[in-house]
Amino acid sequence: MGVADASLVEIVPGAHAWVQPEGGWWVNNAGLVAAEDGSRAMVVDTCVSSARTLRFLEAAAEATGGAPVRMAVNTHQHGDHTYGNHLLPGGTVIAAQEKARDAIVEDPFFDDVPRVWEPMPDWSDAVRRPPELTFREELTLHVGGVRAEVRHPGYTAHTPGDAVVWLPEQRVLYAGDLVFNRVTPLIFMGSLEGARRAVEWLDGFGADHLVPGHGALLEGAGIAGALAEQERYYAFVARTAERGRKDGIGPLEAARGADLGEFASWPDAERIVLNLHRAYADAEGREMDMVAAFTDTLAFTGGPLPCDA
Ligand SMILES: [Zn+2]
């Protein structure tokens, strides 16, 4: 799977998803909301590389008859959703939760990422472009006549500054990385407990269509099914961490001894090591050691992490 496999899908009139298979490391989904009269558009997230972001923006222009992108939302700080921000028009206003903006401004990975992926994603031509507009709890944007509610769950989940974009009339929810659809969820920069709370919070929207941050689009009963899968995975991480701590073994040994079961076939299964590092740190009330977490993940895979970006 490469950039050529990405596609813009119209979910309902005016609400689109940029879907990039297969949704593993650094390969995200994004969104496009367009005014009915073609006067303006908004994007939800960009992509990691210029090649991926430009392809998204070209598809967006084609789908909307060239509607100018006046606004954008970053669902969270991660580079696969934000490193393409600099390719948005200079006048586009980018919005994000205030903690997401802080993290984008400070993001040490932008200049110096651990070189643990093979091949490495390339954003060497990117310019750091933080959001211009921040909010604490929620923000409502109007894309022509389309109402878009941007909401923060109120706590750290996938990251401290997560946000979803909810179109109440279209019943479309852009969930960012609060949902990974059959791709291993990642909470190492967030909170296991918060991620579990967020699953319930997302269920409360009653969405008909859900765009996950990674993986295939969801609709109807598939949404509840995917949310239940997230919860099962988080419960598995919590159980494995609890047992490992009780047995006095570290996250790597706990991961090696765990049976991934139904999650073994999901891309990026090695994230269990990063997620356990987070679960251990939270349970012990201390900062997570990022270097140790990546070192253990490489030991778990026995080599670099496969990447498709
Ligand atoms: Zn993320």
Side-chain angles (χ1 to χ4, degrees):
M1 292 288 167
V3 61
D5 301 299
S7 62
L8 190 69
V9 179
E10 188 170 46
I11 304 166
V12 296
H16 311 249
W18 179 243
V19 182
Q20 301 200 102
E22 299 195 73
W25 283 114
W26 300 98
V27 179
N28 70 318
N29 295 330
L32 168 71
V33 179
E36 307 87 329
D37 62 0
S39 63
R40 62 196 56 237
M42 174 180 88
V43 298
V44 180
D45 288 332
T46 55
C47 308
V48 65
S49 65
S50 291
R52 286 190 178 274
T53 301
L54 288 172
R55 201 170 168 96
F56 168 39
L57 295 177
E58 280 161 17
E62 196 176 316
T64 60
V69 177
R70 301 283 193 211
M71 298 184 285
V73 174
N74 284 148
T75 58
H76 63 294
Q77 70 200 57
H78 285 155
D80 47 340
H81 300 256
T82 61
Y83 287 169
N85 281 358
H86 69 107
L87 295 167
L88 294 170
T92 303
V93 174
I94 307 174
Q97 207 276 342
E98 60 184 11
K99 289 178 182 167
R101 184 185 190 277
D102 289 347
I104 289 167
V105 169
E106 291 160 12
D107 177 14
F109 282 12
F110 185 84
D111 294 317
D112 186 21
V113 73
R115 303 192 70 80
V116 297
W117 291 277
E118 181 59 48
M120 280 297 296
D122 180 18
W123 61 85
S124 52
D125 61 336
V127 178
R128 201 185 290 253
R129 174 145 175 220
E132 287 89 6
L133 177 67
T134 60
F135 65 95
R136 211 160 273 174
E137 290 169 5
E138 56 182 60
L139 174 75
T140 302
L141 301 171
H142 298 270
V143 188
V146 183
R147 181 182 176 92
E149 298 176 5
V150 190
R151 294 202 208 156
H152 172 58
Y155 42 83
T156 296
H158 174 67
T159 63
D162 299 311
V164 300
V165 178
W166 169 234
L167 310 184
E169 281 157 38
Q170 291 76 10
R171 308 211 68 75
V172 174
L173 185 63
Y174 296 93
D177 283 2
L178 295 178
V179 178
F180 288 75
N181 183 14
R182 303 224 161 157
V183 174
T184 308
L186 184 62
I187 46 111
F188 77 133
M189 290 186 176
S191 154
L192 176 56
E193 192 197 324
R196 297 181 81 172
R197 277 178 77 186
V199 170
E200 266 183 63
W201 179 69
L202 292 169
D203 191 46
F205 283 85
D208 290 338
H209 304 271
L210 187 147
V211 181
H214 297 260
L217 298 181
L218 292 158
E219 60 176 12
I223 296 172
L227 293 179
E229 282 179 345
Q230 307 291 290
E231 168 51 27
R232 281 207 301 280
Y233 180 78
Y234 295 138
F236 164 72
V237 174
R239 273 198 315 275
T240 307
E242 198 178 40
R243 196 177 309 138
R245 292 182 62 244
K246 214 169 103 194
D247 293 348
I249 57 174
L252 175 59
E253 279 65 42
R256 281 180 170 150
D259 177 5
L260 281 164
E262 66 175 308
F263 313 116
S265 62
W266 291 1
D268 310 334
E270 70 278 7
R271 287 175 176 171
I272 183 62
V273 182
L274 296 166
N275 292 334
L276 286 171
H277 266 271
R278 167 56 56 192
Y280 272 58
D282 286 357
E284 292 161 14
R286 57 171 171 80
E287 292 288 304
M288 196 194 80
D289 182 340
M290 188 67 74
V291 173
F294 274 115
T295 303
D296 279 354
T297 307
L298 290 174
F300 183 83
T301 55
L305 316 184
C307 176
D308 211 15

